[in-house]
Amino acid sequence: MSNSQQIQQYFNQAVQLMQRNDFTGALKIFVALENTGWKDFRLFRLTGIAYERLQRNKLACDYFKRSLTENPAQHDLFSSLARLQAALKNYPTAREWHQKAVSAAPGSDAYTKFAAFLLSDAVGEADEALSWLNKTGPEEANSERVLLLKARAYELKHEFEQQLSTLQTAREQFPDSKAVLTALAGYYNSAGQDDRAEQAYKDALARPHVSDRDWENLAMFLLGKQRADEAVGVVKKGLTAFPQSRTLLRLLSSLRYEMGEEDYLSDYRHTPLTHQPLPVALDYVDQSIKAGNYDQVAAVLQKLIGQHGNNPTIYQRVALLAYEQADYSNAIETFKALSEHTPENDNLKEWLVKALIADRRVSAAQPFITQLIDADPRNQIFWALQATAWRLTNDERYHWLCDYDKLVKAVPLITPSGYANTASFLDALKPALVALHTTQRQPLEQTLRQGTQTTGNLLDNSDPVLQSLREALHNTANASLSDLPNDASHPTLSQAGRKIDFSASWSVRLKDQGFHISHVHPKGWYSSAFYVDLPDTINESSKSGWLHLGKPGIAVQGNIDADHWIKPEPGKLALFPSFVWHGTEPFQASRHRLTVAFDLRAASHP
């Protein structure tokens, strides 16, 4: 057999492994073939596909590019590279590949893929997306996908009549589509048409091929309408159909926790964890670590190791447990080994950095911080880690990064139209917010303690008072941030001067001894605290209940306190970069501390 015949034989074996979803096995053959010096676009293309299926997106990009070098006519790889770059959060590069795709192979498929990218939460370019959607052919223009994308664009533009009209057209043409029904339900929910929204969510559940997400949609709608008991019932019904749904199990445990149940994780134990899919068992481990049940977690992990062997996802939890128990040396060793095995896993690097900082090995953490920022420069937690490292090493760049005088604003709310003054507006706002706080304690995954948080996106609520709040907060934030200087190298100032919009919003109601653990908002640009109602104990005599900035929310050696404080006052809006560590001091009072918070995003282009 000739050498070329052997190469082809091995290549065919790898293809067969790919068809059986054995991507790791296929890669071993592909790498061996590459080491022989064989350069073929098919080899590089399939290697890229294998890496993508294994979620090693950077390597997938490298091999797709090499495949294009050997055969530039593979225009479909332009869209693949765009998708991968978006997954890597390299949005400008993703845009460039989409532009190459529409130039190389103009047509409806490339146009709709580009439009979907432009309409993603991270980009939000509705006008440009519509221009591409309007180039689709007559048949594609009325396809389900294009109509849904157009409806999303009109929603981003706040052209709600056009959004509804487009969705109604889609409903007429695709009456059995769950996607259309779900989009209509979202529209009705935002428009305050609760009965129609609920019916649309229920209609989606009556369609074929129901998924656990459909049950989650109805449950989240009910939860947003302060119907928590009904939401729990819906989740339980969904689990009857999908007993191993990670989505529904996580939601149910969170709801049960917020409603005050002590054994809120019991649904995970209806079946022995060793008889459940590994991801479900690991979800239970993650939540048990958060609950501080360390001895129980250690026993479960040992059982899982006995069942699944040296599975990296299990050992990631072993390292997490070591970190939480302040066993930083073992945590570092395990996180480092795991990160070397999967170098593209930024989550592992993030935890490695936290463990190194906790172990006073800040200089060893710095190269990994640099890698994280280079990989995802808009991830605010990475900049928070950089701020912590620079502060701990007395690096002057900390003062450039965390220039509180320049970056932090604490300003009075611009009174919304229809109200004589801010005080009268707060009098109307307070009962509207209190009515939304229906749970007994904080969400399971959040940083507040001794308090409650509203569900859903608060400023999307159709209540006229909350819409007035949205208008006032947007006007105030826009005016306050309009004079920020531009600095292309700064994570916040590099986006100064761009159009802003809300990316998330909620209300927090803290009670006696309530506080926020120091934290950051990874997906924001600017974050906030707007003060609605405060107990009298929050005053000048002490900093109880005050907002503090700069105190690290990760384990560090020594007492590293806040280096900037904001005194809460009714009607005051505090704005600060989302990468800045922030929290609140505990307070003693019989009255609650009521606030609204939101994250702002800046447009992807000036």
Side-chain angles (χ1 to χ4, degrees), residues 331-342 348 352:
I332 290 167
E333 182 181 350
T334 307
F335 280 131
K336 193 170 184 180
L338 291 169
S339 186
E340 289 171 353
H341 179 70
T342 53
L348 289 172
L352 175 58

Side-chain angles (χ1 to χ4, degrees), residues 405-431:
D405 291 338
K406 182 185 296 182
L407 296 168
V408 177
K409 313 288 183 179
V411 296
L413 184 75
I414 296 174
T415 304
S417 56
Y419 292 88
N421 50 48
T422 299
S424 63
F425 173 63
L426 295 181
D427 288 341
L429 178 61
K430 178 183 174 181

Side-chain angles (χ1 to χ4, degrees), residues 45 48-49 52 60-68 77 84:
R45 180 187 178 102
I49 292 172
E52 182 180 6
C61 286
D62 291 342
Y63 277 93
F64 283 157
K65 290 176 186 176
R66 293 177 69 180
S67 185
L68 282 168
L77 285 187
L84 287 168

Side-chain angles (χ1 to χ4, degrees), residues 10-31:
Y10 284 124
F11 182 76
N12 291 340
Q13 289 177 3
V15 170
Q16 291 173 4
L17 290 172
M18 292 275 287
Q19 292 170 344
R20 296 199 295 267
N21 294 328
D22 183 1
F23 304 111
T24 301
L27 274 174
K28 292 178 181 178
I29 297 177
F30 289 147
V31 171

Side-chain angles (χ1 to χ4, degrees), residues 15-154:
V15 170
Q16 291 173 4
L17 290 172
M18 292 275 287
Q19 292 170 344
R20 296 199 295 267
N21 294 328
D22 183 1
F23 304 111
T24 301
L27 274 174
K28 292 178 181 178
I29 297 177
F30 289 147
V31 171
L33 290 173
E34 184 183 349
N35 289 338
T36 68
W38 188 41
K39 292 184 178 181
D40 187 285
F41 77 92
R42 297 170 300 165
L43 171 64
F44 297 144
R45 180 187 178 102
L46 286 177
T47 303
I49 292 172
Y51 276 125
E52 182 180 6
R53 296 297 179 87
L54 292 172
Q55 297 183 329
R56 305 195 58 182
N57 293 337
K58 290 180 183 177
L59 283 171
C61 286
D62 291 342
Y63 277 93
F64 283 157
K65 290 176 186 176
R66 293 177 69 180
S67 185
L68 282 168
T69 300
E70 300 298 324
N71 180 5
Q74 302 174 90
H75 299 150
D76 62 312
L77 285 187
F78 294 159
S79 293
S80 297
L81 282 160
R83 181 182 65 253
L84 287 168
Q85 290 295 332
L88 291 166
K89 300 179 182 178
N90 298 328
Y91 302 113
T93 306
R95 174 189 284 272
E96 291 172 4
W97 282 110
H98 274 298
Q99 289 169 333
K100 290 180 181 179
V102 297
S103 297
S108 297
D109 184 60
Y111 299 156
T112 54
K113 287 178 179 176
F114 197 0
F117 163 77
L118 294 167
L119 292 172
S120 63
D121 289 339
V123 182
E125 299 288 350
D127 288 324
E128 187 178 356
L130 279 172
S131 70
W132 288 109
L133 292 170
N134 288 332
K135 292 181 180 181
T136 57
E139 290 186 13
E140 293 85 354
N142 286 315
S143 67
E144 178 184 352
R145 177 169 172 76
V146 169
L147 289 171
L148 287 173
L149 287 172
K150 284 185 176 180
R152 171 62 177 159
Y154 292 131

Side-chain angles (χ1 to χ4, degrees), residues 187-218:
Y187 168 83
Y188 290 135
N189 188 18
S190 298
Q193 299 180 38
D194 294 351
D195 291 343
R196 286 188 169 186
E198 183 173 351
Q199 189 58 53
Y201 283 125
K202 288 180 177 178
D203 286 346
L205 283 169
R207 294 296 185 270
H209 311 298
V210 170
S211 71
D212 54 351
R213 293 290 181 182
D214 299 311
W215 289 99
E216 181 193 26
N217 288 336
L218 177 57

